[in-house]
Amino acid sequence: MNTSFFTFRFRSLAIVFGIQVLTLACLTAQEQAKPVFKDGEAQIVDAFNTPEKWIRHDLFVETTFDSDGDGQLDRMHVDVTRPNQTETEGLKLPVIYESSPYYAGVAPDVEGLFWDVHHELGEMGKARKHPDVVRTGQRPIISNSQIGLWVPRGYIVVHSSSPGTGLSQGAPTVGGVNESLAPKAVIDWLNGRAKGYTEPYGNEEVKAYWSTGKVGMTGTSYNGTIPLAAATTGVEGLEVIIPVAPNTSYYHYYRSNGLVRSPGGYLGEDIDVLYDFINSGDEAKRPSNNARVRDGEMMKGMDRITGDYNAFWAGRDYLNAMGPMKAALLMSHGFNDWNVMPEHSYRIYNKAREMGLETGIYYHQFGHGGPPPLSMMNKWFTHYLHGIDNGIENEPHKAWIVREDDTIDKPTPYTDYPNPDAEAITLYLVGGAPEIGQLSKLEVPDQDPETLIDNYSFDGEALAKAEITSHRLLYVTPKLTEDLHISGIPKITIKLASSKPATNLSVWLVSLPWDDSRNAKTTDNIITRGWADPQNHKSLTNGTPLEVGRYYELSFDLQPDDQIIKAGQQIGLMIFSSDKAFTLHPKPGTQLAIDPNGTHLMLPVVGGMEAYSKAVN
């Protein structure tokens, strides 16, 4: 044994230790750097606002799973950015953590990446292409997100690549259990319960001696899904999550009430497409991962034939896994997000509220993304991670909604969402096809069926603007003489018959006249939307072919909304079949017959029928 080597190491450590003790002793004579709080928020501290002194390093956290099947527990690639005082002054700080499958690059958008949607319902469509991801990024920096905001305010920022992406081991599963257990392992490591290593296959350990153990997570879209995934494990130390536009159910992302439906802007995308999009992990592991996950589990479970809900989709629905969750939750979403639709946040918020968790929800009127105002996030992180009593848990308002003419950082507070003063009113159809019918407070009996002919070549905007067309049915309220506030989840009940055993069904709630001007806002035209498969009129898990000409009744929710419809507008209920931007494109010609006597709209109005009657005279 080389005793001189060990003697040298011991003496070196003793010298270093002595210097650290001396340094700390000297610092006690002067004020050490520490977080500063004002008005319940963490403030920028000059001593922390020194990027050139920040300590940045990476490591590999060992998980409890082997998702790539190589016989070894997967390790997640993690980076850390922390103020230098966590090293020089022994300062311990809480962590803000973001994880993502996107950090190491994504697949190119090549022709054939998405499923071809030009085929009949009940068919699979032709095979698509599987492009490879060219991995990007270098150690030790995985991402720079969150750092500039939070490190100067007295936090440590941590990132990790999700399983099978970047330098993280394992396989992408797009909502599989490993995507919940991976961030759990990182949080366990931050609390000393899991092991971290300097290298992906090495044995030299790294410890988070600078962490208080308190962790908050945030992120947008997929990066907002992972905080929820982690929270469903009930991991100790995860105190608060702020998901922004999170995908909380892959079924709700790729299907709608039994219907095969694409997310807005990505016609033909499905869960296997997203798998290919993020598959940036070890090139040597990709063939076996592809065969097992994408071409095995996904192809067996995703079911583009019927669109039914099944065990595969249930396992990727975080609502089903919320039992252990105890982290505080501040949700953020846009009412006009037609990619990850606003129901994704509401369904989780509503469940968390029922569970008695600390909850809040922030909605704005724009599209995908959009975090809460910095001040709001700051107060939530300050309270739950630094333990500052700033009163947010006693806040009388649980909902903050950006009104139509306000900026995204100026939300209006409300007691809750939906607005507690909202009541569902029922509006009935008065026929007028192929022109425009009416929405009435009173039922009109003994009306004849109204028909429409499916043709995907006409998009929703064209159908809403048309005065006469055989490709949609449109029913409108009287012109509003006062503003009308809608808050909640509209619900449609439709009685219909089809000329084919399968058909698309699309419903839009619109504000008319349609505004084509350059200054039109996203809230000026579309109020909300919904889609459904009439084959699933009885069961979401077992759709059955329609008997041609037979009438069926089905009810389903439209997307949540909170909107003030301006005086001078009319609210229109538009019923049509294939939605050019969202559904499959079967050959035009399917006829739908709608029975007005068995069809009605339940609209959540603040002030109920009294307010509605006043607004329409």
Side-chain angles (χ1 to χ4, degrees), residues 55 238 244 276 480-481 590:
I55 298 170
L238 181 56
V244 181
D276 281 341
L480 302 182
T481 58
T590 302

Side-chain angles (χ1 to χ4, degrees), residues 112-115 126-131 268 272-274 276 294:
L113 169 64
F114 297 102
W115 286 96
K126 63 183 180 182
R128 60 177 196 83
K129 294 182 180 178
H130 304 292
D272 63 322
V273 179
L274 185 54
D276 281 341
R294 184 193 67 199

Side-chain angles (χ1 to χ4, degrees), residues 172-186:
T173 58
V174 192
V177 67
N178 66 339
E179 290 191 0
S180 299
L181 295 178
K184 177 185 183 298
V186 174

Side-chain angles (χ1 to χ4, degrees), residues 255 296-304 308 310 312-313:
R255 307 289 184 267
E297 180 186 3
M298 287 183 174
M299 287 307 296
K300 290 177 182 177
M302 58 190 272
D303 183 12
R304 284 184 66 85
D308 291 351
N310 57 27
F312 171 84
W313 294 114

Side-chain angles (χ1 to χ4, degrees), residues 499-510:
S499 66
K500 289 185 179 180
T503 181
N504 291 317
L505 178 63
S506 304
V507 173
W508 285 19
L509 207 60
V510 294

Side-chain angles (χ1 to χ4, degrees), residues 366-524:
F366 304 98
H368 189 50
L374 176 59
S375 176
M376 185 181 296
M377 296 181 70
N378 195 331
K379 287 179 179 177
W380 278 68
F381 283 145
T382 293
H383 176 74
Y384 290 104
L385 302 185
H386 282 291
I388 300 300
D389 185 9
N390 55 15
I392 65 166
E393 76 277 18
N394 299 317
E395 172 68 51
H397 305 107
K398 297 299 181 184
W400 293 265
I401 297 172
V402 177
R403 294 270 48 105
E404 291 72 10
D405 296 323
D406 292 338
T407 56
I408 199 167
D409 61 336
K410 301 292 184 183
T412 299
Y414 293 91
T415 304
D416 208 344
Y417 178 81
N419 191 310
D421 294 328
E423 298 177 11
I425 67 168
T426 303
L427 299 177
Y428 301 95
L429 308 189
V430 179
E435 300 180 49
I436 299 173
Q438 301 172 35
L439 283 176
S440 171
K441 295 185 294 181
L442 302 175
E443 289 188 78
V444 178
D446 301 325
Q447 298 187 78
D448 293 330
E450 303 220 299
T451 61
L452 65 92
I453 301 172
D454 182 27
N455 191 335
Y456 69 83
S457 64
F458 296 94
D459 64 23
E461 178 179 343
L463 294 175
K465 290 160 56 176
E467 294 183 8
I468 300 176
T469 177
S470 61
H471 301 300
R472 61 93 178 105
L473 301 175
L474 180 59
Y475 307 90
V476 301
T477 66
K479 185 178 294 186
L480 302 182
T481 58
E482 295 183 6
D483 293 353
L484 188 70
H485 188 177
I486 297 170
S487 179
I489 305 173
K491 185 173 185 176
I492 183 76
T493 295
I494 297 181
K495 189 173 182 180
L496 61 77
S498 171
S499 66
K500 289 185 179 180
T503 181
N504 291 317
L505 178 63
S506 304
V507 173
W508 285 19
L509 207 60
V510 294
S511 180
L512 300 174
W514 195 278
D515 187 351
D516 278 324
S517 70
R518 183 178 300 176
N519 297 323
K521 301 188 295 295
T522 54
T523 55
D524 284 341

